[in-house]
Amino acid sequence: MVNTFELHLINAALPLLEEKKLFELKAAGGRWISIRKQEQPGELQEQQGGPIATLSTLSDGRDLSGCRIDLEGRMLLPGLVDAHMHLDKAYSLSAAPNQSGTLYEAIHSYSRVAPMFTKEQIKARMRKAALRALSFGTTAIRSHIDFHLRTGAEVAMRTVQAALELKEELSGQVALEFFPMCPYNSHTLLEQDAIHEALQLGLDGLGGAPHLSETPERDIDRIFELAARYGKPIDLHADESDDPTKRTAAYIAEKTIAYGFQGCVTVDHLCSLSAMDEEAAASVIRSMADAKLQAVTLPACNLYLQGRGDRGLIRRGTTRIKELLEAGIPLATASDNIQDPFHPFGRGDLAQIGQLTAYAAHMGSPQELRTLLRMMTDIPASILGLKEYGIAEGHPVNFVIMDALTVDEWFAEQPAGRWVYNNRRWLSVTRTEHHMGWVSDPEQHATQASGVQNKK
Ligand SMILES: [Zn+2]
């Protein structure tokens, strides 16, 4: 009997829905039409027939239409969401080195070379970074982009054009949002006109790094005025500094309430929170919670860039991750920069970022690993305002299968195998020599294995 579903998966683990159970999922017309818990591992609705294929068959490039695909207990997650990248800067390290490893030199090194990149060069680097992230299972990205007005509006618009063209090109594969980094210490009419033009062209919101300004409050005022005028969300780099007196997050919270922008403002980095004493940090976090600010931690860049002035006990540089979570602030973890003067490493793989976050914030318990998983799935999805996100009946089919049976195994092993599906097609399939998952925990999975094998 031929399987008539567009997609039919069996023996899938859905850790965000319910752990230690396997599911059968069916899709038609690009949406999930049935998600059913299997009574027994390997137990199938035989009457719906169709040959059974495995992911290794898919990796071999064979057409599996009409087949039931047996995930053999592997994890299926909604496409991961990277809430903070800089696609336009990715892979620019060779052109823009950073000898000191400081944020200061990174900013100046990139600013020096930015006017020399053509639109096509910028777009090629952005495409490479976005597709690499897609291959690891990320199907939605918010990217900040440079807006270098000091070297002329044409330079700033070059990056904007590259970004918008790429957004169109990759639509249906990876959803891209772009936020221009509004220049600081600059309040000219030229700037207002350029931002107006960029937003009219289709940029998604307003960004910036007001803590770097000599007049941060004035910069923040101006960004809120623009956001209110154009009806756009705000996403700001905030207090990316070891200096405990940097507290733009508290002022941003104040403005958020004044403008009624609760739920539309995101603050990223927040490194100075860790440098403050307990009382001061608690006060800033309270004001953030009152204003319903959303936040993003970026451990890879901050571990690399911060603490450069320290000797001996060198600080980690990341924000107060656990305190923000305890205060109920929606906190995502994200990639930030990829192989550029801000961060010489990174590949756009949120599994790597998740593990780095776990190290940086001392998060290793089973419960904490599940929180980390949410910090790269449903929490950033809500920050990006993604509609119908997640594995649920009626939602669009958008997922990544990980080559691991459990959340704990995935964080520990960081398996290479990923199978990414979006917009009614397989977009990326990783060929793996073996999958370690099925035999990694014989005691826990003996029942599963025998159940599935009996059906083969
Ligand atoms: Zn950033």
Side-chain angles (χ1 to χ4, degrees):
M1 187 177 176
V2 176
N3 193 328
T4 53
F5 298 107
E6 187 171 280
L7 193 68
H8 189 167
L9 309 175
I10 57 174
N11 294 317
L14 301 180
L16 290 173
L17 201 62
E18 184 177 345
E19 294 194 78
K20 298 181 179 167
K21 295 288 176 191
L22 293 178
F23 289 80
E24 178 178 18
L25 303 97
K26 296 170 192 163
R31 290 181 181 265
W32 295 116
I33 57 165
S34 165
I35 298 172
R36 190 184 68 91
K37 200 189 302 180
Q38 296 171 202
E39 295 305 322
Q40 297 290 327
E43 172 264 339
L44 307 173
Q45 290 183 313
E46 295 294 346
Q47 71 275 18
Q48 282 160 346
I52 295 176
T54 60
L55 289 169
S56 57
T57 328
L58 188 66
S59 301
D60 290 339
R62 284 187 26 208
D63 179 13
L64 296 188
S65 48
C67 291
R68 287 176 288 181
I69 303 174
D70 187 352
L71 270 54
E72 301 174 289
R74 291 183 181 87
M75 283 198 332
L76 183 144
L77 300 173
L80 306 180
V81 181
D82 205 318
H84 184 132
M85 293 185 81
H86 291 264
L87 295 177
D88 56 326
K89 294 191 176 94
Y91 307 110
S92 64
L93 182 60
S94 57
N98 181 356
Q99 293 292 333
S100 65
T102 58
L103 176 63
Y104 180 83
E105 185 177 338
I107 291 169
H108 287 274
S109 180
Y110 191 80
S111 298
R112 208 165 36 242
V113 298
M116 292 184 276
F117 295 123
T118 65
K119 184 181 81 175
E120 289 308 317
Q121 287 172 327
I122 297 165
K123 192 161 57 168
R125 290 192 285 99
M126 296 178 98
R127 182 188 295 112
K128 180 178 171 183
L131 291 179
R132 190 99 168 99
L134 177 68
S135 77
F136 293 117
T138 294
T139 57
I141 294 170
R142 175 177 288 179
S143 176
H144 299 258
I145 54 171
D146 262 32
F147 203 64
H148 270 276
L149 286 178
R150 285 186 194 84
T151 42
E154 191 276 325
V155 173
M157 295 313 290
R158 210 183 285 168
T159 305
V160 173
Q161 292 288 358
L164 293 172
E165 286 173 18
L166 188 74
K167 181 175 182 163
E168 178 74 23
E169 180 188 318
L170 297 187
S171 134
Q173 297 185 65
V174 52
L176 299 175
E177 285 188 4
F178 291 106
F179 281 56
M181 299 277 292
C182 295
Y184 44 90
N185 296 333
S186 171
H187 311 276
T188 63
L189 282 175
L190 166 73
E191 178 200 355
Q192 302 273 337
D193 289 349
I195 288 172
H196 172 80
E197 188 185 346
L199 292 174
Q200 293 297 107
L201 284 171
L203 293 189
D204 299 279
L206 286 153
H211 63 279
L212 298 171
S213 172
E214 288 160 13
T215 55
E217 295 194 352
R218 196 173 152 205
D219 285 39
I220 292 164
D221 290 348
R222 184 180 44 90
I223 287 168
F224 272 87
E225 281 162 22
L226 287 166
R229 189 186 311 161
Y230 295 106
K232 297 283 185 184
I234 294 172
D235 191 330
L236 296 170
H237 289 62
D239 309 328
E240 186 179 4
S241 166
D242 296 329
D243 177 356
T245 68
K246 297 280 184 194
R247 296 182 192 187
T248 62
Y251 188 69
I252 293 165
E254 216 176 281
K255 297 299 287 189
T256 300
I257 292 171
Y259 274 83
F261 261 37
Q262 291 93 332
C264 302
V265 180
T266 308
V267 283
D268 315 322
H269 291 291
L270 304 163
C271 310
S272 71
L273 270 183
S274 294
M276 293 175 202
D277 62 40
E278 296 298 309
E279 203 179 322
S283 156
V284 174
I285 292 172
R286 250 193 324 272
S287 66
M288 289 174 60
D290 289 345
K292 297 194 167 26
L293 293 189
Q294 308 166 121
V296 185
T297 183
L298 301 141
C301 271
N302 291 145
L303 282 165
Y304 188 77
L305 292 172
Q306 302 301 312
R308 288 282 173 167
D310 295 342
R311 293 290 175 269
L313 190 60
I314 296 169
R315 78 192 81 191
R316 295 172 185 219
T318 45
T319 189
R320 292 182 181 246
I321 292 169
K322 283 187 176 170
E323 289 94 325
L324 289 166
L325 289 168
E326 278 162 18
I329 291 167
L331 178 70
T333 189
S335 290
D336 213 1
N337 298 68
I338 307 285
Q339 301 174 39
D340 66 15
F342 296 79
H343 183 220
F345 312 123
R347 52 180 186 257
D349 181 2
L350 283 172
Q352 183 188 39
I353 296 299
Q355 199 184 53
L356 269 175
T357 315
Y359 274 110
H362 288 158
M363 293 173 75
S365 73
Q367 191 53 42
E368 287 165 342
L369 294 183
R370 278 136 193 88
T371 299
L372 283 166
L373 191 60
R374 294 190 56 240
M375 289 168 70
M376 56 183 83
T377 51
D378 47 343
I379 293 173
S382 87
I383 291 175
L384 266 66
L386 301 182
K387 304 274 184 271
E388 300 182 303
Y389 179 80
I391 310 294
E393 288 179 7
H395 282 193
V397 180
N398 165 358
F399 64 83
V400 52
I401 298 165
M402 303 294 183
D403 199 9
L405 296 187
T406 65
V407 175
D408 310 70
E409 180 184 63
W410 187 63
F411 273 98
E413 295 282 353
Q414 309 261 294
R418 318 275 168 106
W419 293 264
V420 188
Y421 187 100
N422 193 8
N423 200 27
R424 308 179 79 168
R425 60 198 164 124
W426 294 98
L427 292 175
S428 179
V429 171
T430 309
R431 195 178 291 271
T432 48
E433 292 306 311
H434 69 289
H435 76 85
M436 90 297 257
W438 205 234
V439 292
S440 65
D441 184 350
E443 198 178 327
Q444 186 184 350
H445 300 298
T447 326
Q448 286 182 329
S450 62
V452 172
Q453 281 159 2
N454 286 344
K455 295 285 177 186
K456 280 182 180 171

